[in-house]
Amino acid sequence: MDAIIYHNPACETSRNTLAMIRNAGIEPHIIEYLKCPPTRLLLAQLLKRAGLTVRQVLREKGTPFQDLGLNDLSLSDDALLDAIGAHPILINRPIVVTPQGVRLCRPSELVLDLLPPQHGPFIKENGERVIDEHGRRVATA
């Protein structure tokens, strides 16, 4: 299976998502979107395929979101895409693409819906058990 992850190695959620992709036996194409951001057209296509609006993919924490006034709900998608183009850190991550679809994987477990079965247990960096020793999802409380 082919997979693409728009990844930020400094992000724990992104690292966990990448690790679950690999735990499914897939070595994805890794695009560090801060170094190589998607074009405006590609981002718009990814969002459409994921069923997301531009506003839904905007990241507020640790970004210039507030300074740029992006909380103004009257801003158009074009204005938001312009801001993302100038500041790729505004893209919430990770975004994963597989033949099963496109998804913003927050929380990281959302990637499991896009993947074949896991090859054994998986525990997140924070110690949370996600997949048991039989490759099955662990129920959360």
Side-chain angles (χ1 to χ4, degrees):
M1 173 185 276
D2 201 19
I4 300 168
I5 181 171
Y6 290 86
H7 178 60
N8 180 346
C11 171
E12 182 177 327
T13 300
S14 197
R15 290 191 308 269
N16 282 320
T17 302
L18 176 57
M20 280 187 261
I21 295 169
R22 288 177 169 157
N23 197 48
I26 299 167
E27 184 53 44
H29 301 280
I30 300 170
I31 300 173
E32 290 189 31
Y33 72 93
L34 294 177
K35 293 180 182 177
C36 186
T39 65
R40 178 190 188 100
L41 177 60
L42 177 58
L43 181 59
Q45 290 171 342
L46 290 170
L47 296 178
K48 183 176 181 179
R49 289 178 60 198
L52 296 170
T53 66
V54 179
R55 190 161 292 285
Q56 288 173 312
V57 79
L58 280 175
R59 181 169 180 81
E60 295 181 37
K61 182 180 172 187
T63 74
F65 180 89
Q66 293 295 333
D67 294 340
L68 296 172
L70 299 179
N71 54 342
D72 179 351
L73 297 179
S74 71
L75 290 173
S76 68
D77 284 352
D78 283 336
L80 298 175
L81 287 169
D82 287 343
I84 290 171
H87 306 277
I89 192 69
L90 288 165
I91 300 172
N92 218 338
R93 74 278 180 161
I95 297 173
V96 176
V97 181
T98 76
Q100 303 303 319
V102 178
R103 180 164 281 175
L104 172 61
C105 295
R106 297 192 74 80
S108 57
E109 296 90 319
L110 291 176
V111 75
L112 297 171
D113 296 330
L114 300 176
L115 300 174
Q118 295 285 291
H119 292 176
F122 184 82
I123 299 171
K124 287 183 173 183
E125 289 181 11
N126 67 4
E128 181 184 348
R129 192 166 158 239
V130 178
I131 303 294
D132 69 16
E133 61 276 1
H134 303 289
R136 296 182 301 231
R137 278 188 186 185
V138 175
T140 56

